[in-house]
């Protein structure tokens, strides 16, 4: 493998590891702290999930 093809692979691996850590940390958070999660924080989570889910369907926007 050359450096061009390993770059996206490394970024993907790092993203999956970060996602896994965040999920693990979230499962260990006490329920009291989850209930006090701010509305802005909840909206940010929903926006990230929705954006990440829509990106493969919509595709990358082309610059003019």
């Amino acid at each position: 493998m050359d450096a061009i093809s390993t770059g996206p692979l490394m970024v993907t691996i790092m993203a999956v590891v970060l996602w896994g850590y965040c999920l693990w940390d979230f499962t260990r958070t006490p329920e009291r702290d989850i209930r006090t999660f701010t509305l802005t924080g909840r909206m940010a989570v929903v926006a990230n999930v929705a954006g990440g889910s829509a990106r493969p369907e919509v595709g990358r926007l082309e610059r003019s």
Side-chain angles (χ1 to χ4, degrees):
M1 289 179 140
D2 57 351
I4 294 173
S5 64
T6 58
L9 178 64
M10 293 302 295
V11 170
T12 302
I13 290 171
M14 290 173 19
V16 168
V17 167
L18 178 63
W19 178 80
Y21 171 75
C22 290
L23 183 64
W24 175 77
D25 186 46
F26 180 74
T27 60
R28 295 178 47 93
T29 302
E31 185 178 350
R32 178 185 53 85
D33 292 342
I34 293 173
R35 288 185 179 198
T36 59
F37 203 49
T38 64
L39 179 61
T40 306
R42 291 178 188 186
M43 289 172 55
V45 169
V46 169
N48 279 322
V49 170
S53 300
R55 175 81 186 247
E57 296 299 322
V58 174
R60 187 175 212 168
L61 298 177
E62 293 185 25
R63 296 182 184 193
S64 53

